[in-house]
């Protein structure tokens, strides 16, 4: 069981919006603005999509946005495209000795 | 553009030591703004942070692996390395190296990953 909880799968049709949640505790997601999100296509390395809860690295589409409320962070993808189909992982700093946590990953299917 | 490239044996026998190196190009490891991390992903499973190192040699390890791992850095060669001893089949995974923003705890550049299989 992963330290950060994500839904196993989400799906949406092209053009729609979807949201992926990432639930932790006050020692990680809720206590710090150090949540990041990664996109991973099969056989590829993860790619940073969001850092610091809501910041997009240069080159990442503005269709990707991040937010946080309490102990739950969220990644929203608007205007779904076929190329968005991938696994998405959240990550957070934690004040425990583990230091860095990942979520269990969410498989996004574009119908 | 920073690039990272993992290298090392793809097959390790049980109880032996897994050794990997990550070569960094397009930027210097000697940089106050970044740590350098190892992350692994068993086949079909989640990502697991292993640990990171600063150019000074300061390290922070995942407590679940701390007794078996050593991460080192060679700034003259602009690379850093991972050693994981007493491996078992549970250590079979794709191992990634990644650049980590200091104080912000996100991984902005990743290597392509290398599969290490533990088997006799």
């Amino acid at each position: 069981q992963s330290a950060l909880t994500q839904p196993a799968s989400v799906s949406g049709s092209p053009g729609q919006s979807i949201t992926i949640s990432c639930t932790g505790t006050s020692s990680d997601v809720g206590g710090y603005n150090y949540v990041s999100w990664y996109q991973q296509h099969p056989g590829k390395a993860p790619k940073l999509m969001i850092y610091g809860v809501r910041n997009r690295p240069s080159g990442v589409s503005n269709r990707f946005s991040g937010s946080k409320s309490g102990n739950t962070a969220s990644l929203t993808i608007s205007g779904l495209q076929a190329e968005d189909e991938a696994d998405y992982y959240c990550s957070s700093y934690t004040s425990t000795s583990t230091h860095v946590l990942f979520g269990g990953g969410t498989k996004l299917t574009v119908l | 553009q920073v690039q990272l490239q993992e290298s090392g044996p793809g097959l390790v026998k049980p109880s032996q030591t897994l050794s990997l190196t990550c070569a960094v190009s397009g930027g210097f490891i000697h940089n106050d703004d970044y740590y350098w991390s190892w992350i692994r992903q068993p086949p079909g499973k989640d990502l697991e942070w292993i640990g990171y190192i600063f150019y000074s040699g300061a390290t922070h390890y995942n407590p679940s692996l701390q007794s078996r791992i050593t991460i080192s850095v060679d700034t003259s060669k602009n690379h850093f390395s991972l050693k994981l001893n007493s491996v078992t089949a549970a250590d079979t995974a794709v191992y990634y190296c990644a650049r980590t923003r200091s104080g912000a705890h996100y991984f902005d550049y990743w290597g392509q990953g290398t599969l290490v299989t533990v088997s006799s």
Side-chain angles (χ1 to χ4, degrees), chain A residues 1-2 34 36 38 40 43-48 51-52 89 91 93 97-100 102-105, chain B residues 39 41 44-49 52 60-63 96 103-113:
Chain A
Q1 184 163 348
S2 303
Y34 295 138
S36 51
Y38 303 87
Q40 186 178 36
K44 300 294 186 182
K47 174 187 175 184
L48 177 67
Y51 67 93
Y89 291 89
S91 178
Y93 168 79
S97 57
T98 307
H99 209 65
V100 175
F102 284 100
Chain B
I39 296 159
Q41 186 173 34
K45 295 188 178 180
D46 308 341
L47 295 164
E48 179 182 32
W49 175 73
Y52 60 54
H60 194 105
Y61 299 150
N62 188 324
Y96 295 100
H105 310 288
Y106 61 84
F107 309 98
D108 59 355
Y109 287 96
W110 297 62
Q112 65 184 26

Side-chain angles (χ1 to χ4, degrees), chain A residues 14 22 29 32 49 54 61 93-94 107 109:
Chain A
C22 171
V29 173
Y32 305 91
M49 305 302 285
R54 62 183 71 251
S61 170
Y93 168 79
T94 170
K107 182 176 181 58
T109 301

Side-chain angles (χ1 to χ4, degrees), chain A residues 66-92:
Chain A
S67 62
K68 189 182 83 168
S69 177
N71 294 337
T72 298
S74 298
L75 173 71
T76 299
I77 309 174
S78 59
L80 270 181
Q81 300 179 0
E83 67 207 49
D84 299 332
E85 186 163 292
D87 293 328
Y88 290 84
Y89 291 89
C90 63
S91 178
S92 175

